[in-house]
């Protein structure tokens, strides 16, 4: 039987600042522009978690999306929602919180919680016009 | 020449109930929760049909999206729109109408109507936040 | 000071059937078409609750939208979500569950829960293309 | 001749924190919850500026939306986009940056820039589900 | 009984050019910029027709939205969809097809087809970010 | 390290006409229907540019989306926005401007501007319901 992909979309609101601590302020401004605001700015992040596998014969589910939603809430939203990604989480102390890096961090968090027989992909919208996808 | 994918999006409104007739009511409630309401609930399903192939030299079309829309209407929407998926269609008598299974059923219906030299994928949105994709 | 309007958007999924029990089946089919399916069909309803008043000096809130969301959940969503509007609620025993009537019912439920010094309006989307607004 | 309303939609990304400096931390947490995070959180704000007036006979425009967009950019977006509303702007030193108050501030800024014969309304989306409207 | 508003959303795709034939080309370019392209440009117009009245006791409808959709199709879409507004319609021979003027024209067309006991408003989206509203 | 995909979404408004100059008018009308209007019609095209590669260690960016946006503006939007695709561009003199062909043209333009170590895909929405994807 062929695989089916299921998607669950969640959102969180967070502040962040993009900069490389190894660079001086001029270099950071040149590269990151207004995203380097030392007082932070923020986004409504839309998170799309994609799980690929075979539907269970008895339920017709690849994964119960209610359970997937709970896993995302406990492991991602509770850590990131209404937080300052640079200051309030442990993930971006040495990692610039670009959309690319946030997606990789979320993938690594989720990968440990999802059955290894299921494939996982992460899509993260920073705005409607800027978004990223990480397939692991 | 490389292939191009074309997409046509349609929608239908339907009622359904999720349950496994081999289980008792307690087990069905435990697994399917409020989706197991015996009086049914419903959704605005958004259906995305993806067709992959080489554009025709004379028309520049992979497939005429007007014709694709007509095929979807005649074969999918006329059977599912404003219907009770469990009671009014023949497809879910022995198959739980989860989004996964509805997508597989639609794929199988459409696969017979689309030229075999064209690839087909189905994406089905049950809500804005819960959706599935079936590549055949 | 001028008033400000605040909006909270919620959603629920429900089944319904449109018909007038005083009419025979032919008349119901003529007027309500496929919405008269005796086995029901369904929708993802999007509900927009608008509250108008003066922002509180100390909080800057017209009403705390988290509290408004809780009021909507307890009084509207818990009664309507994943329900058959005709069979599972008391509101549509003698009232056709058109979008117009559902909006009036929700207005009346919410009006009792919202401080009388605040104005209230209800907008209800049955689909992206069909929606209604009830100002009380 | 009747009036016509024209709308221009713009967006900005900002960080903010909700709290009342006259209250202690417990009271602020009780009222503002996670919106009181001292390290800030953020949003993609969607701003809708509505201008009401009679279309000019020669142009057919109530106001040139390109010019309106420029006025919004120079007077609102340049001050708020990629900023910390509490720290980087002068408007929220003594005013809690709730959506209600941000809309009032934007109205007051815009009112000075728009011809007095034209009416003005501001709608501000903090998220897709939480938004406000200020008619002046 | 209070009134209820019902909305039906439709779309059409059209080409147009903005210019004032009483002006020379320099003046038209100065005022209308790239909208003055003599070879035309185009839009996906989203049309929202709002009808306000009391729901009928027997049906629960202010107006049957299927019938409203048919009226819009026959009287507006059949004249404007896949058309050049300047060349293929009679309405913009002496009237600049700005969003404001298109909304007024659609209002006047629809006003003749809708029962006079019902109020009518037109909203027209030229893009997601530029739109207009005409209340008659 | 695994690759990450980043997306930038832009839009342009254009007029076009679909027809094959080797065919007579009857054949063109039969195949292209109202898209063959000799006076043109138009669309709000939404363009999604997808770039796949490894995030840079120092910036955390696959590509700076501000720079990608500038590349799209200079090379695609400045040529296509508010233009008649058939008459005002050099690309569709001998090529029918179907969504498929526009996507291929945009891919070829962008491929020359994007570092060859990065993969490129183009998605183009002609309407919300009709869109195409070209992976090169």
């Amino acid at each position: 039987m062929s695989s089916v992909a299921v998607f669950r979309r969640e959102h969180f609101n967070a502040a962040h600042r993009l900069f490389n601590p190894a660079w001086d302020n001029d270099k950071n401004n040149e590269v990151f522009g207004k995203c380097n605001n030392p007082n932070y700015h923020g986004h409504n992040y839309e998170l799309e978690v994609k799980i690929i596998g075979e539907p269970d014969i008895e339920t017709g589910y690849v994964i119960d999306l209610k359970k997937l939603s709970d896993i995302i809430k406990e492991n991602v939203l509770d850590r990131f929602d209404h937080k300052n990604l640079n200051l309030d989480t442990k993930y971006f102390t040495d990692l610039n919180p670009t959309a690319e890096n946030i997606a990789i961090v979320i993938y690594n968090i989720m990968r440990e919680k999802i059955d290894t027989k299921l494939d996982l992909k992460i899509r993260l919208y920073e705005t409607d016009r800027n978004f990223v996808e990480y397939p692991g």
Side-chain angles (χ1 to χ4, degrees), chain A residues 15-21 23-26 28-30 32-42 84-87 96-97:
Chain A
H16 77 152
R17 174 197 179 186
L18 300 185
F19 73 111
N20 183 335
W23 294 345
D24 65 17
N25 202 39
D26 283 355
N28 273 305
N29 276 335
E30 184 196 322
F32 296 111
K34 55 189 179 178
C35 297
N36 180 36
N37 179 359
N39 287 328
Y40 308 99
H41 65 286
N84 182 309
L85 298 179
N86 302 70
L87 301 181
N96 204 15

Side-chain angles (χ1 to χ4, degrees), chain A residues 33-98:
Chain A
K34 55 189 179 178
C35 297
N36 180 36
N37 179 359
N39 287 328
Y40 308 99
H41 65 286
H43 294 291
N44 303 334
Y45 290 95
E46 285 282 327
L47 170 62
E48 216 170 273
V49 176
K50 180 182 186 178
I51 304 283
I52 306 161
E54 292 185 20
D56 181 83
I57 296 291
E58 287 188 302
T59 62
Y61 283 159
V62 170
I63 186 173
D64 182 341
L65 286 178
K66 179 71 182 67
K67 283 186 188 161
L68 177 59
S69 175
D70 290 342
I71 295 169
I72 301 169
K73 279 187 187 118
E74 282 162 34
N75 294 284
V76 180
L77 304 193
D78 285 354
R79 292 176 191 176
F80 290 177
D81 187 36
H82 282 73
K83 293 288 162 56
N84 182 309
L85 298 179
N86 302 70
L87 301 181
D88 298 328
T89 77
K90 66 180 181 189
Y91 301 100
F92 303 102
T93 313
D94 300 314
L95 186 69
N96 204 15
T98 59

Side-chain angles (χ1 to χ4, degrees), chain A residues 87-120:
Chain A
L87 301 181
D88 298 328
T89 77
K90 66 180 181 189
Y91 301 100
F92 303 102
T93 313
D94 300 314
L95 186 69
N96 204 15
T98 59
E100 290 91 327
N101 282 335
I102 302 171
I104 293 170
V105 162
I106 291 174
Y107 177 91
N108 290 335
I109 291 172
M110 290 295 296
R111 187 61 279 181
E112 289 184 22
K113 304 292 172 184
I114 301 293
D115 190 325
T116 53
K117 76 182 177 201
L118 299 170
D119 276 333
L120 171 68

Side-chain angles (χ1 to χ4, degrees), chain A residues 46 99-100 123-133:
Chain A
E46 285 282 327
E100 290 91 327
R123 185 181 270 216
L124 184 73
Y125 291 80
E126 199 170 82
T127 70
D128 285 350
R129 300 204 167 269
N130 289 348
F131 47 104
V132 304
E133 204 170 65

